[in-house]
Amino acid sequence: MKLFNHNPDFKMDVLREVGNIGAGHAATALSRLLDKPVDMAVPTVSFVPFESIADRVGGPEEVVVAVFLRVDGDAPGNMFFLMSRLQAKLLLQGLAGFEPAGDGGYSELELSALCEIGNILAGSYLSSLADLTGLAMSPSVPSVAVDMAGAILSYGLLQFGTMGDDALLIDTTFLRGRQEAEGHFYFIPDPESFEKIFVSLGVPLE
Amino acid sequence: MTDGNFVKVGMADLNVAAEGAVLKTTGLGSCVGLTLFDPQRQVAGMAHIMLPSSDIAREGQLNIAKYADTAIPELLNRVVQLGADRKRLVAKLAGGAQMFAFAGGSDSLRIGPRNVESVKRELDKWAIPVMSEDTGGNYGRTIEFDSRSGVLTVRSVQYGVKEI
């Protein structure tokens, strides 16, 4: 992307901080929901080739649980809350004492609860970004899928698809305790949104 | 990339195979996996198509494997170069799902069905018949195409393995 030709390291740092603030609020929300500490790793911000977008969650064929939200407003984009199937079950158990179904499937109620968790987390992520930037950003109605990571994540790449073969991804890992991953929060702003984010934060474009 | 007898096709990528090699692409969501096959020469090609038309492309260097209207002529050329007869070519397709459903979803969210329509329109233009397809739905697919038998194996989390 041309926007990143000038001073790319600084711009990446700004986006990392954006991710840090957003995910920090989301982690706090999750911690309140579960009534236990939730840690997070420093967000990684990078251009990821489409081909390897699913590598961090176990590869394109790995079955994951994903809540997807479209971000509407001044700086639109795509947002995913991704978990392994085990993590999703633990989350449901921790939240509302859902007993795991023996077949590894999910009831309507469980899927709906996951959607709502995604909604709350994305809401706190975005409202903190909106406060920071003064841009209007609101999540769409969330949608949940249990499927191959490649099939799910490629859906968030379409806006970048017309621009090239990689996407700029802000990835934050949530941690249960100190090591075990709880889930991933992916924020993929549309290519046009970066300029707006930078301008709103007073980052010089040139 | 060749892995044993497998020829991998990445996202927005295409490749060809013969002599019993198996073409494979993983994690098709709204993308469409298209195969072309000459049963007599046992030559096959596969494309992992991401978007319906290159009209919307804004990239400097166009990745022709990404768009239905540019990937199909290229795949056609490649299988013919490998010895396929254009008149005998038959197509199979899989994917084009709508992974997430939204009430009143915008056009970009209908990308799966639009990819399928666009691929079929392009095949029609080249007079290549579609032998079978496993498209639509709301789930991801991984596909493998056997360049000897011409069988397309479709795997999904919900419905297991299916041959078309």
Side-chain angles (χ1 to χ4, degrees), chain B residues 34-127:
Chain B
L34 165 73
T35 62
L36 297 180
F37 182 55
D38 176 346
Q40 205 162 320
R41 299 295 298 270
Q42 297 179 336
V43 168
M46 180 183 281
H48 184 136
I49 294 165
M50 194 175 170
L51 291 164
S53 164
S54 62
D55 291 347
I56 53 173
R58 288 173 294 163
E59 49 191 316
Q61 184 121 38
L62 192 71
N63 175 359
I64 53 177
K66 194 188 293 174
Y67 307 94
D69 62 327
T70 50
I72 291 170
E74 173 66 12
L75 189 62
L76 191 64
N77 273 338
R78 295 276 301 273
V79 289
V80 168
Q81 273 169 24
L82 206 63
D85 184 340
R86 245 179 78 167
K87 291 186 217 69
R88 277 197 303 258
L89 286 176
V90 292
K92 290 186 180 182
L93 46 144
Q98 194 166 350
M99 296 301 295
F100 297 97
F102 292 96
S106 71
D107 227 24
S108 74
L109 298 170
R110 261 197 80 246
I111 197 79
R114 279 171 59 211
N115 279 336
V116 174
E117 286 159 24
S118 181
V119 165
K120 284 183 179 168
R121 199 162 45 236
E122 195 63 31
L123 288 171
D124 208 41
K125 216 183 277 175
W126 296 94

Coordinates of all heavy atoms in Angstrom, one line a residue, chain B residues 34-127:
Chain B
L34 N -12.4 -24.2 -9.2 CA -12.8 -24.6 -10.5 C -11.8 -25.6 -11.1 O -10.6 -25.4 -10.9 CB -12.9 -23.4 -11.5 CG -12.9 -23.7 -13.0 CD1 -14.3 -24.3 -13.3 CD2 -12.6 -22.5 -13.8
T35 N -12.3 -26.7 -11.6 CA -11.3 -27.6 -12.3 C -11.7 -27.8 -13.8 O -12.9 -27.8 -14.1 CB -11.4 -29.0 -11.6 OG1 -12.7 -29.6 -11.8 CG2 -11.0 -29.0 -10.2
L36 N -10.7 -27.9 -14.6 CA -10.9 -28.2 -16.0 C -10.2 -29.6 -16.2 O -9.1 -29.8 -15.7 CB -10.3 -27.1 -16.9 CG -10.9 -25.7 -16.8 CD1 -10.1 -24.8 -17.8 CD2 -12.4 -25.7 -17.1
F37 N -10.8 -30.4 -17.1 CA -10.3 -31.8 -17.3 C -10.5 -32.3 -18.7 O -11.6 -32.1 -19.2 CB -11.0 -32.7 -16.3 CG -10.5 -34.1 -16.3 CD1 -9.2 -34.4 -16.1 CD2 -11.5 -35.2 -16.4 CE1 -8.8 -35.8 -16.1 CE2 -11.0 -36.5 -16.4 CZ -9.7 -36.8 -16.2
D38 N -9.5 -32.8 -19.2 CA -9.6 -33.6 -20.5 C -9.5 -35.0 -20.2 O -8.5 -35.6 -19.9 CB -8.5 -33.2 -21.5 CG -8.5 -34.0 -22.8 OD1 -9.2 -35.0 -22.8 OD2 -7.8 -33.6 -23.7
P39 N -10.7 -35.7 -20.2 CA -10.7 -37.1 -19.8 C -9.8 -38.1 -20.6 O -9.3 -39.0 -20.1 CB -12.2 -37.5 -19.9 CG -12.9 -36.3 -20.3 CD -12.0 -35.3 -20.7
Q40 N -9.7 -37.7 -21.9 CA -8.9 -38.6 -22.7 C -7.4 -38.5 -22.5 O -6.7 -39.5 -22.3 CB -9.2 -38.3 -24.2 CG -8.9 -39.4 -25.1 CD -9.6 -39.2 -26.5 OE1 -10.8 -38.7 -26.5 NE2 -9.0 -39.5 -27.5
R41 N -6.9 -37.3 -22.3 CA -5.5 -37.1 -22.1 C -5.2 -37.1 -20.6 O -4.0 -37.1 -20.2 CB -5.0 -35.7 -22.7 CG -5.2 -35.7 -24.2 CD -4.3 -36.7 -24.9 NE -2.9 -36.4 -24.7 CZ -2.1 -35.7 -25.4 NH1 -2.6 -35.1 -26.5 NH2 -0.9 -35.5 -25.1
Q42 N -6.2 -37.1 -19.8 CA -6.0 -37.1 -18.3 C -5.1 -35.9 -17.9 O -4.1 -36.1 -17.2 CB -5.5 -38.4 -17.8 CG -6.5 -39.5 -18.1 CD -6.1 -40.9 -17.7 OE1 -5.0 -41.2 -17.6 NE2 -7.1 -41.7 -17.4
V43 N -5.5 -34.8 -18.3 CA -4.8 -33.5 -18.0 C -5.8 -32.6 -17.3 O -6.9 -32.5 -17.7 CB -4.3 -32.8 -19.2 CG1 -3.8 -31.4 -18.9 CG2 -3.1 -33.6 -19.9
A44 N -5.4 -32.1 -16.1 CA -6.3 -31.3 -15.3 C -5.7 -30.0 -14.9 O -4.5 -29.8 -14.8 CB -6.7 -32.1 -14.1
G45 N -6.6 -29.0 -14.6 CA -6.2 -27.7 -14.1 C -7.1 -27.3 -13.0 O -8.3 -27.7 -13.0
M46 N -6.6 -26.5 -12.0 CA -7.5 -26.1 -10.9 C -7.2 -24.6 -10.6 O -6.0 -24.2 -10.6 CB -7.3 -26.9 -9.7 CG -8.1 -26.4 -8.5 SD -7.8 -27.4 -7.0 CE -8.6 -28.9 -7.3
A47 N -8.2 -23.8 -10.4 CA -8.1 -22.4 -10.0 C -8.9 -22.2 -8.7 O -9.9 -22.7 -8.5 CB -8.6 -21.5 -11.1
H48 N -8.3 -21.4 -7.8 CA -8.9 -20.9 -6.6 C -9.3 -19.4 -6.8 O -8.5 -18.6 -6.6 CB -8.0 -21.1 -5.4 CG -8.6 -20.8 -4.1 ND1 -8.3 -21.6 -3.0 CD2 -9.3 -19.8 -3.6 CE1 -8.9 -21.1 -1.9 NE2 -9.5 -20.0 -2.3
I49 N -10.5 -19.2 -7.2 CA -11.0 -17.9 -7.7 C -11.6 -17.1 -6.5 O -12.5 -17.7 -5.8 CB -11.9 -18.0 -8.9 CG1 -11.2 -18.6 -10.1 CG2 -12.6 -16.7 -9.2 CD1 -12.1 -19.1 -11.2
M50 N -11.2 -15.9 -6.3 CA -11.6 -15.2 -5.1 C -12.7 -14.1 -5.4 O -13.5 -13.9 -4.6 CB -10.4 -14.5 -4.6 CG -10.5 -13.9 -3.2 SD -8.9 -13.3 -2.7 CE -9.4 -12.4 -1.2
L51 N -12.6 -13.5 -6.6 CA -13.5 -12.4 -6.9 C -14.1 -12.6 -8.3 O -13.5 -13.2 -9.2 CB -12.8 -11.1 -6.8 CG -12.3 -10.7 -5.4 CD1 -11.3 -9.6 -5.4 CD2 -13.5 -10.2 -4.5
P52 N -15.3 -12.0 -8.5 CA -16.0 -12.3 -9.8 C -15.4 -11.6 -11.0 O -15.4 -12.2 -12.1 CB -17.4 -11.8 -9.6 CG -17.4 -11.0 -8.3 CD -16.2 -11.3 -7.6
S53 N -14.9 -10.4 -10.9 CA -14.5 -9.7 -12.1 C -13.3 -8.8 -11.9 O -13.2 -8.1 -10.9 CB -15.6 -8.9 -12.6 OG -15.2 -8.0 -13.6
S54 N -12.3 -8.8 -12.9 CA -11.2 -8.0 -12.7 C -11.5 -6.5 -13.0 O -10.6 -5.6 -12.8 CB -10.1 -8.4 -13.7 OG -10.6 -8.3 -15.0
D55 N -12.7 -6.2 -13.3 CA -13.1 -4.8 -13.5 C -12.9 -4.0 -12.2 O -12.7 -2.8 -12.2 CB -14.6 -4.7 -13.8 CG -14.9 -5.2 -15.2 OD1 -13.9 -5.4 -15.9 OD2 -16.1 -5.4 -15.5
I56 N -13.1 -4.7 -11.0 CA -13.0 -4.0 -9.8 C -11.5 -3.9 -9.3 O -11.3 -3.4 -8.2 CB -13.8 -4.7 -8.7 CG1 -13.5 -6.2 -8.6 CG2 -15.3 -4.5 -9.0 CD1 -14.2 -6.9 -7.4
A57 N -10.6 -4.5 -10.0 CA -9.2 -4.5 -9.6 C -8.6 -3.2 -9.5 O -8.7 -2.4 -10.4 CB -8.4 -5.4 -10.5
R58 N -7.8 -2.9 -8.4 CA -7.1 -1.7 -8.3 C -5.7 -1.9 -8.0 O -4.9 -1.0 -7.6 CB -7.7 -0.8 -7.1 CG -9.1 -0.3 -7.5 CD -9.7 0.4 -6.3 NE -10.0 -0.6 -5.2 CZ -10.2 -0.3 -4.0 NH1 -10.1 0.9 -3.5 NH2 -10.5 -1.3 -3.1
E59 N -5.2 -3.2 -8.2 CA -3.9 -3.5 -7.9 C -3.0 -3.2 -9.1 O -3.4 -3.2 -10.2 CB -3.7 -5.0 -7.5 CG -4.4 -5.9 -8.4 CD -4.5 -7.4 -7.9 OE1 -3.5 -7.8 -7.3 OE2 -5.5 -8.0 -8.0
G60 N -1.7 -2.9 -8.8 CA -0.8 -2.5 -9.8 C -0.6 -3.7 -10.8 O -0.9 -3.7 -12.0
Q61 N 0.0 -4.8 -10.2 CA 0.3 -6.0 -11.0 C -0.9 -6.9 -10.8 O -1.0 -7.5 -9.7 CB 1.6 -6.6 -10.5 CG 2.0 -7.8 -11.3 CD 3.3 -7.6 -12.0 OE1 4.2 -7.0 -11.4 NE2 3.5 -8.0 -13.2
L62 N -1.7 -7.1 -11.8 CA -2.9 -7.9 -11.7 C -2.6 -9.4 -11.4 O -1.8 -10.0 -12.2 CB -3.7 -7.8 -13.0 CG -5.2 -8.3 -12.9 CD1 -6.0 -7.4 -12.0 CD2 -5.7 -8.4 -14.3
N63 N -3.1 -10.0 -10.4 CA -3.0 -11.4 -10.2 C -4.2 -12.1 -10.9 O -5.3 -12.1 -10.4 CB -3.1 -11.7 -8.7 CG -3.1 -13.2 -8.4 OD1 -3.1 -14.0 -9.3 ND2 -3.1 -13.6 -7.2
I64 N -3.9 -12.6 -12.1 CA -5.0 -13.1 -13.0 C -5.7 -14.3 -12.4 O -6.8 -14.6 -12.8 CB -4.5 -13.3 -14.4 CG1 -3.3 -14.3 -14.5 CG2 -4.2 -12.0 -15.2 CD1 -2.8 -14.6 -15.9
A65 N -5.0 -15.0 -11.5 CA -5.7 -16.2 -10.9 C -6.8 -15.8 -10.0 O -7.6 -16.7 -9.6 CB -4.6 -17.1 -10.2
K66 N -6.9 -14.6 -9.6 CA -7.8 -14.1 -8.6 C -9.2 -13.9 -9.1 O -10.2 -14.2 -8.3 CB -7.3 -12.8 -7.9 CG -7.9 -12.5 -6.6 CD -7.5 -11.1 -6.2 CE -6.0 -11.1 -5.8 NZ -5.6 -9.7 -5.5
Y67 N -9.3 -13.5 -10.3 CA -10.7 -13.1 -10.8 C -11.2 -14.1 -11.8 O -10.4 -14.7 -12.7 CB -10.5 -11.8 -11.5 CG -9.9 -10.7 -10.6 CD1 -8.6 -10.4 -10.7 CD2 -10.7 -10.0 -9.8 CE1 -8.0 -9.5 -9.9 CE2 -10.1 -9.0 -8.9 CZ -8.8 -8.8 -9.0 OH -8.2 -7.8 -8.2
A68 N -12.5 -14.4 -11.8 CA -13.1 -15.4 -12.7 C -12.8 -15.1 -14.1 O -12.4 -16.0 -14.9 CB -14.6 -15.4 -12.4
D69 N -12.9 -13.8 -14.6 CA -12.8 -13.5 -16.0 C -11.4 -13.6 -16.5 O -11.2 -13.8 -17.7 CB -13.4 -12.1 -16.3 CG -12.7 -11.0 -15.5 OD1 -12.2 -11.3 -14.4 OD2 -12.6 -9.9 -16.1
T70 N -10.4 -13.5 -15.6 CA -9.0 -13.6 -16.1 C -8.4 -15.0 -15.8 O -7.5 -15.5 -16.5 CB -8.1 -12.6 -15.4 OG1 -8.3 -12.6 -14.0 CG2 -8.5 -11.2 -16.0
A71 N -8.9 -15.7 -14.7 CA -8.3 -17.0 -14.3 C -8.7 -18.1 -15.4 O -7.9 -18.9 -15.7 CB -8.8 -17.4 -13.0
I72 N -9.9 -18.0 -15.9 CA -10.4 -19.1 -16.7 C -9.6 -19.1 -18.1 O -9.2 -20.2 -18.4 CB -11.9 -19.0 -16.9 CG1 -12.6 -19.4 -15.5 CG2 -12.4 -20.0 -18.0 CD1 -14.1 -19.2 -15.4
P73 N -9.5 -18.0 -18.8 CA -8.7 -18.1 -20.0 C -7.2 -18.6 -19.7 O -6.7 -19.3 -20.5 CB -8.6 -16.6 -20.5 CG -9.8 -16.0 -19.9 CD -10.1 -16.7 -18.6
E74 N -6.7 -18.1 -18.6 CA -5.3 -18.5 -18.3 C -5.2 -20.0 -18.0 O -4.3 -20.7 -18.4 CB -4.8 -17.7 -17.1 CG -3.4 -18.2 -16.5 CD -2.3 -18.0 -17.4 OE1 -2.5 -17.3 -18.5 OE2 -1.2 -18.5 -17.2
L75 N -6.2 -20.5 -17.2 CA -6.2 -22.0 -16.8 C -6.4 -22.8 -18.1 O -5.7 -23.8 -18.3 CB -7.3 -22.2 -15.9 CG -7.4 -23.6 -15.2 CD1 -6.1 -23.9 -14.4 CD2 -8.6 -23.8 -14.4
L76 N -7.2 -22.3 -19.0 CA -7.5 -23.0 -20.3 C -6.2 -23.1 -21.1 O -5.8 -24.2 -21.6 CB -8.5 -22.1 -21.0 CG -9.2 -22.6 -22.3 CD1 -10.0 -23.8 -22.0 CD2 -10.0 -21.5 -22.9
N77 N -5.4 -22.0 -21.2 CA -4.2 -22.0 -21.9 C -3.2 -23.0 -21.3 O -2.5 -23.7 -22.0 CB -3.5 -20.6 -21.8 CG -4.0 -19.7 -22.9 OD1 -4.4 -20.2 -23.9 ND2 -3.8 -18.4 -22.7
R78 N -3.2 -23.0 -19.9 CA -2.2 -23.9 -19.2 C -2.5 -25.3 -19.5 O -1.6 -26.2 -19.7 CB -2.2 -23.6 -17.7 CG -1.7 -22.2 -17.4 CD -0.1 -22.1 -17.3 NE 0.4 -23.0 -16.3 CZ 0.5 -22.8 -15.0 NH1 0.2 -21.6 -14.6 NH2 1.0 -23.6 -14.2
V79 N -3.8 -25.7 -19.4 CA -4.1 -27.2 -19.6 C -3.9 -27.6 -21.1 O -3.4 -28.7 -21.4 CB -5.5 -27.6 -19.2 CG1 -5.6 -27.6 -17.7 CG2 -6.6 -26.8 -19.8
V80 N -4.1 -26.6 -22.0 CA -3.9 -26.9 -23.4 C -2.4 -27.1 -23.7 O -1.9 -28.0 -24.3 CB -4.5 -25.8 -24.3 CG1 -4.0 -25.9 -25.8 CG2 -6.0 -25.9 -24.3
Q81 N -1.6 -26.2 -23.0 CA -0.1 -26.4 -23.1 C 0.4 -27.7 -22.6 O 1.3 -28.3 -23.1 CB 0.6 -25.3 -22.3 CG 0.8 -24.0 -23.1 CD 1.2 -22.9 -22.1 OE1 1.8 -23.1 -21.1 NE2 1.0 -21.6 -22.5
L82 N -0.4 -28.3 -21.6 CA 0.0 -29.5 -21.1 C -0.5 -30.7 -21.9 O -0.3 -31.9 -21.5 CB -0.5 -29.6 -19.6 CG 0.3 -30.5 -18.6 CD1 1.7 -30.1 -18.4 CD2 -0.5 -30.6 -17.3
G83 N -1.2 -30.4 -23.0 CA -1.7 -31.5 -23.9 C -3.1 -31.7 -23.9 O -3.6 -32.6 -24.6
A84 N -3.9 -31.0 -23.2 CA -5.4 -31.1 -23.2 C -6.0 -30.6 -24.6 O -5.4 -29.7 -25.1 CB -6.0 -30.4 -22.1
D85 N -7.1 -31.2 -25.0 CA -7.8 -30.7 -26.2 C -8.9 -29.8 -25.7 O -9.7 -30.2 -24.9 CB -8.3 -31.9 -27.0 CG -9.0 -31.4 -28.3 OD1 -9.4 -30.2 -28.4 OD2 -9.1 -32.2 -29.2
R86 N -8.9 -28.6 -26.2 CA -9.9 -27.6 -25.7 C -11.3 -28.1 -25.9 O -12.2 -27.8 -25.1 CB -9.7 -26.3 -26.5 CG -9.3 -25.2 -25.6 CD -9.1 -23.9 -26.4 NE -10.4 -23.3 -26.7 CZ -10.5 -22.1 -27.2 NH1 -9.4 -21.4 -27.4 NH2 -11.6 -21.6 -27.5
K87 N -11.5 -28.8 -27.0 CA -12.9 -29.2 -27.3 C -13.4 -30.3 -26.3 O -14.6 -30.5 -26.2 CB -13.0 -29.8 -28.7 CG -12.8 -28.7 -29.7 CD -13.1 -29.2 -31.1 CE -12.1 -28.6 -32.2 NZ -10.7 -29.0 -32.0
R88 N -12.5 -31.0 -25.7 CA -12.9 -32.1 -24.8 C -13.0 -31.6 -23.3 O -13.4 -32.4 -22.5 CB -11.9 -33.2 -24.8 CG -12.1 -34.2 -26.0 CD -11.3 -35.5 -25.8 NE -9.9 -35.3 -25.6 CZ -9.0 -35.5 -26.5 NH1 -9.3 -35.9 -27.7 NH2 -7.7 -35.2 -26.3
L89 N -12.6 -30.4 -23.1 CA -12.6 -30.0 -21.7 C -13.9 -29.9 -21.0 O -14.9 -29.5 -21.6 CB -11.9 -28.6 -21.6 CG -10.4 -28.5 -21.8 CD1 -10.0 -27.1 -21.7 CD2 -9.7 -29.3 -20.7
V90 N -14.0 -30.4 -19.8 CA -15.2 -30.4 -19.0 C -14.8 -29.7 -17.6 O -13.7 -29.8 -17.1 CB -15.8 -31.7 -18.7 CG1 -16.4 -32.3 -20.0 CG2 -14.8 -32.7 -18.1
A91 N -15.8 -29.1 -17.0 CA -15.5 -28.3 -15.8 C -16.3 -28.9 -14.6 O -17.3 -29.5 -14.8 CB -15.9 -26.9 -16.0
K92 N -15.7 -28.7 -13.4 CA -16.4 -29.0 -12.2 C -16.1 -27.8 -11.2 O -15.1 -27.3 -11.3 CB -15.9 -30.3 -11.5 CG -16.4 -31.6 -12.3 CD -16.0 -32.8 -11.6 CE -16.4 -34.0 -12.4 NZ -16.2 -35.3 -11.8
L93 N -17.1 -27.5 -10.4 CA -16.8 -26.5 -9.4 C -17.4 -26.7 -8.1 O -18.4 -27.4 -7.9 CB -17.2 -25.1 -10.0 CG -18.6 -24.8 -10.6 CD1 -19.0 -23.4 -10.2 CD2 -18.4 -24.9 -12.1
A94 N -16.7 -26.1 -7.1 CA -17.1 -26.2 -5.7 C -16.8 -24.9 -5.0 O -15.9 -24.2 -5.4 CB -16.4 -27.4 -5.0
G95 N -17.6 -24.6 -3.9 CA -17.3 -23.4 -3.1 C -18.4 -22.4 -3.3 O -19.6 -22.8 -3.5
G96 N -18.0 -21.1 -3.3 CA -19.0 -20.1 -3.5 C -20.1 -20.0 -2.3 O -21.2 -19.7 -2.6
A97 N -19.6 -20.3 -1.1 CA -20.6 -20.3 0.0 C -20.8 -18.9 0.5 O -20.0 -18.0 0.2 CB -20.0 -21.2 1.1
Q98 N -21.8 -18.8 1.3 CA -22.0 -17.5 2.0 C -21.8 -17.8 3.5 O -22.6 -18.4 4.1 CB -23.4 -17.0 1.8 CG -23.6 -15.6 2.2 CD -24.9 -15.0 1.6 OE1 -25.6 -15.6 0.8 NE2 -25.2 -13.8 2.1
M99 N -20.5 -17.5 3.9 CA -20.1 -18.0 5.2 C -20.9 -17.4 6.4 O -21.1 -18.0 7.4 CB -18.6 -17.7 5.4 CG -17.7 -18.5 4.5 SD -17.8 -20.2 4.6 CE -17.3 -20.5 6.2
F100 N -21.2 -16.1 6.2 CA -21.9 -15.4 7.3 C -23.2 -14.8 6.7 O -23.1 -14.2 5.6 CB -21.1 -14.4 7.9 CG -19.9 -14.9 8.6 CD1 -18.6 -14.9 7.9 CD2 -19.9 -15.5 9.9 CE1 -17.5 -15.5 8.5 CE2 -18.8 -16.0 10.5 CZ -17.6 -16.0 9.8
A101 N -24.3 -15.0 7.3 CA -25.6 -14.4 6.8 C -25.9 -13.2 7.6 O -25.8 -13.2 8.8 CB -26.7 -15.5 7.0
F102 N -26.3 -12.1 6.9 CA -26.8 -10.9 7.6 C -28.1 -10.5 7.0 O -28.3 -10.7 5.8 CB -25.8 -9.8 7.4 CG -24.5 -10.0 8.1 CD1 -23.4 -10.5 7.4 CD2 -24.4 -9.7 9.4 CE1 -22.2 -10.7 8.1 CE2 -23.2 -9.9 10.1 CZ -22.1 -10.4 9.4
A103 N -28.9 -10.0 7.8 CA -30.2 -9.5 7.3 C -29.9 -8.3 6.4 O -29.1 -7.4 6.7 CB -31.1 -9.0 8.4
G104 N -30.4 -8.3 5.2 CA -30.2 -7.2 4.2 C -28.8 -7.0 3.9 O -28.3 -5.9 3.7
G105 N -28.0 -8.1 3.8 CA -26.6 -8.0 3.5 C -26.3 -7.3 2.2 O -27.0 -7.4 1.2
S106 N -25.2 -6.5 2.2 CA -24.8 -5.8 1.0 C -24.2 -6.7 0.0 O -24.0 -7.9 0.2 CB -23.8 -4.7 1.4 OG -22.6 -5.3 1.7
D107 N -24.0 -6.1 -1.2 CA -23.5 -6.9 -2.3 C -22.2 -7.7 -2.0 O -22.0 -8.8 -2.4 CB -23.3 -6.0 -3.5 CG -23.9 -6.6 -4.8 OD1 -24.9 -7.5 -4.6 OD2 -23.5 -6.3 -5.9
S108 N -21.3 -7.0 -1.3 CA -20.0 -7.6 -1.0 C -20.2 -8.9 -0.1 O -19.4 -9.8 -0.2 CB -19.1 -6.6 -0.4 OG -19.4 -6.4 1.0
L109 N -21.3 -8.9 0.6 CA -21.5 -10.1 1.4 C -22.1 -11.3 0.6 O -22.2 -12.4 1.1 CB -22.4 -9.7 2.6 CG -21.8 -8.7 3.6 CD1 -22.8 -8.2 4.6 CD2 -20.6 -9.2 4.3
R110 N -22.6 -11.0 -0.6 CA -23.1 -12.0 -1.4 C -22.0 -12.5 -2.4 O -22.3 -13.0 -3.5 CB -24.3 -11.4 -2.2 CG -25.7 -11.8 -1.7 CD -26.7 -11.5 -2.8 NE -26.8 -12.6 -3.8 CZ -26.4 -12.5 -5.1 NH1 -25.9 -11.4 -5.6 NH2 -26.5 -13.6 -5.8
I111 N -20.8 -12.4 -2.0 CA -19.7 -12.6 -3.0 C -19.6 -14.0 -3.5 O -19.3 -14.3 -4.6 CB -18.4 -12.1 -2.3 CG1 -17.3 -11.9 -3.4 CG2 -17.9 -13.0 -1.3 CD1 -17.4 -10.7 -4.2
G112 N -20.0 -15.0 -2.6 CA -19.9 -16.4 -3.0 C -20.8 -16.7 -4.2 O -20.3 -17.2 -5.2
P113 N -22.1 -16.4 -4.1 CA -23.0 -16.7 -5.2 C -22.6 -15.9 -6.5 O -22.7 -16.4 -7.6 CB -24.4 -16.2 -4.7 CG -24.3 -16.3 -3.2 CD -22.9 -16.1 -2.9
R114 N -22.1 -14.7 -6.3 CA -21.7 -13.9 -7.4 C -20.5 -14.5 -8.1 O -20.3 -14.5 -9.3 CB -21.4 -12.5 -7.0 CG -22.6 -11.6 -6.9 CD -22.3 -10.3 -6.2 NE -21.3 -9.5 -7.0 CZ -20.5 -8.7 -6.4 NH1 -20.5 -8.5 -5.1 NH2 -19.6 -8.0 -7.1
N115 N -19.6 -15.1 -7.3 CA -18.4 -15.8 -7.9 C -18.9 -17.0 -8.7 O -18.3 -17.2 -9.8 CB -17.5 -16.3 -6.8 CG -16.6 -15.2 -6.2 OD1 -16.3 -14.3 -6.9 ND2 -16.1 -15.4 -5.0
V116 N -19.8 -17.7 -8.2 CA -20.3 -18.9 -9.0 C -20.9 -18.5 -10.3 O -20.6 -19.0 -11.3 CB -21.3 -19.7 -8.1 CG1 -22.0 -20.8 -8.9 CG2 -20.7 -20.3 -6.9
E117 N -21.8 -17.4 -10.2 CA -22.5 -16.9 -11.4 C -21.4 -16.5 -12.5 O -21.5 -16.8 -13.7 CB -23.3 -15.7 -11.1 CG -24.6 -16.0 -10.4 CD -25.2 -14.8 -9.6 OE1 -24.9 -13.7 -10.0 OE2 -25.9 -15.0 -8.7
S118 N -20.4 -15.8 -12.0 CA -19.4 -15.3 -12.9 C -18.6 -16.4 -13.5 O -18.3 -16.3 -14.7 CB -18.5 -14.3 -12.1 OG -17.6 -13.7 -12.9
V119 N -18.2 -17.4 -12.7 CA -17.5 -18.5 -13.3 C -18.3 -19.2 -14.3 O -17.8 -19.6 -15.4 CB -17.0 -19.5 -12.1 CG1 -16.6 -20.8 -12.7 CG2 -16.0 -18.9 -11.3
K120 N -19.5 -19.4 -14.1 CA -20.4 -20.2 -15.1 C -20.5 -19.4 -16.3 O -20.5 -19.9 -17.5 CB -21.8 -20.4 -14.5 CG -21.7 -21.6 -13.5 CD -23.1 -21.8 -13.0 CE -23.1 -23.0 -12.0 NZ -24.4 -23.1 -11.3
R121 N -20.7 -18.0 -16.2 CA -20.8 -17.2 -17.4 C -19.6 -17.3 -18.2 O -19.6 -17.4 -19.4 CB -21.1 -15.7 -16.9 CG -21.7 -14.9 -18.0 CD -22.3 -13.6 -17.4 NE -21.5 -13.0 -16.4 CZ -21.8 -12.7 -15.2 NH1 -23.1 -13.0 -14.7 NH2 -21.0 -12.1 -14.3
E122 N -18.4 -17.3 -17.6 CA -17.2 -17.3 -18.3 C -17.0 -18.7 -19.0 O -16.5 -18.7 -20.1 CB -16.0 -17.0 -17.3 CG -14.7 -16.7 -18.0 CD -14.7 -15.4 -18.8 OE1 -15.5 -14.5 -18.5 OE2 -14.0 -15.4 -19.8
L123 N -17.4 -19.8 -18.3 CA -17.3 -21.1 -18.9 C -18.1 -21.2 -20.1 O -17.8 -21.8 -21.1 CB -17.7 -22.2 -17.9 CG -16.7 -22.4 -16.7 CD1 -17.3 -23.3 -15.7 CD2 -15.4 -23.0 -17.2
D124 N -19.3 -20.6 -20.0 CA -20.2 -20.6 -21.1 C -19.6 -19.9 -22.3 O -19.8 -20.3 -23.4 CB -21.5 -19.8 -20.6 CG -22.7 -20.3 -21.4 OD1 -22.8 -21.5 -21.5 OD2 -23.6 -19.4 -21.7
K125 N -18.9 -18.8 -22.1 CA -18.3 -18.1 -23.1 C -17.3 -18.9 -23.9 O -17.1 -18.8 -25.1 CB -17.5 -16.9 -22.5 CG -17.5 -15.6 -23.3 CD -16.7 -14.5 -22.7 CE -17.5 -13.7 -21.6 NZ -16.6 -12.8 -20.9
W126 N -16.6 -19.8 -23.2 CA -15.6 -20.7 -23.8 C -16.2 -22.1 -24.2 O -15.5 -23.0 -24.6 CB -14.4 -20.9 -22.8 CG -13.7 -19.7 -22.6 CD1 -13.9 -18.8 -21.5 CD2 -12.6 -19.1 -23.4 NE1 -13.0 -17.8 -21.6 CE2 -12.2 -17.9 -22.7 CE3 -12.0 -19.5 -24.6 CZ2 -11.2 -17.1 -23.2 CZ3 -11.0 -18.7 -25.0 CH2 -10.6 -17.5 -24.4
A127 N -17.6 -22.2 -24.0 CA -18.3 -23.4 -24.4 C -17.7 -24.6 -23.6 O -17.6 -25.7 -24.2 CB -18.3 -23.6 -25.9

